[in-house]
Amino acid sequence: METIKNTRVRYIVDARTSRFTVQAFATGLLSAVGHNPTIGVRNFSGDVNFSSEAIQGSEFRMSIKANSLSVQDDISDKDRREIERLMNERVLETAKYPEIVYEAPLFSITRMGESLYTANLDGSLTLHGVTHRLPVTARVAIFGTVLRASGDFTLKQTDYGIRPISVAGGAIKLKDELKFCFEMVAREQE
């Protein structure tokens, strides 16, 4: 009788080769002249325990330095600095809430094919001092000692006590809903 190997492997997120972005959407009277900023997350870390033979993974955790978010769009340096200042001071209040954390203590895994999986994370996000449940689905591929995960999710800023920013007397403002996209690369820890 063959024994099924059920070892969990710990992977560490490689932020240098990973991509994590936030898309905001403009609304309001002058939204056509405004833009929908794409924000890049630069400073984050994370780890995950994963077993390709099991139907469960455990302990996914990701931490983001809130002041590491930066505008990715091709705009003037002056506009970039102003958007980032507003984001840090008025939106995220990074001096008061320096860290954003997502934790999923347990998640389900479905094998989709050779080295391909779907992971359903039923985790919680702590943002702006508020914690809420946030389910996330990721497509996962494992190639040797490298795990790649990709997906997207949305959230409402107001759920986390954040008032969507508005400028020009409210003629241009950002919608409450933000879209997050990720392409994470994690390497097996030895």
Side-chain angles (χ1 to χ4, degrees), residues 89-105:
E89 292 176 10
R90 288 183 38 200
V91 177
L92 295 174
E93 298 180 86
T94 58
K96 189 174 181 182
Y97 308 107
E99 189 175 39
I100 301 166
V101 177
Y102 182 78
E103 294 178 293

Side-chain angles (χ1 to χ4, degrees), residues 67-80:
N67 65 359
S68 77
L69 280 66
S70 65
V71 177
Q72 301 295 300
D73 302 316
D74 188 19
I75 59 174
S76 73
D77 285 341
K78 179 185 174 202
D79 288 346
R80 179 182 326 281

Side-chain angles (χ1 to χ4, degrees), residues 88-161:
N88 284 314
E89 292 176 10
R90 288 183 38 200
V91 177
L92 295 174
E93 298 180 86
T94 58
K96 189 174 181 182
Y97 308 107
E99 189 175 39
I100 301 166
V101 177
Y102 182 78
E103 294 178 293
L106 198 63
F107 54 90
S108 64
I109 300 166
T110 305
R111 176 174 246 140
M112 305 304 289
E114 184 66 30
S115 300
L116 299 174
Y117 308 86
T118 298
N120 293 302
L121 291 82
D122 189 15
S124 60
L125 176 68
T126 301
L127 168 66
H128 198 248
V130 177
T131 302
H132 282 295
R133 179 179 169 266
L134 182 67
V136 175
T137 299
R139 295 169 300 284
V140 178
I142 298 178
F143 304 102
T145 61
V146 176
L147 180 146
R148 294 184 170 270
S150 61
D152 57 66
F153 60 93
T154 59
L155 64 79
K156 289 187 176 182
Q157 298 175 75
T158 53
D159 288 346
Y160 293 88

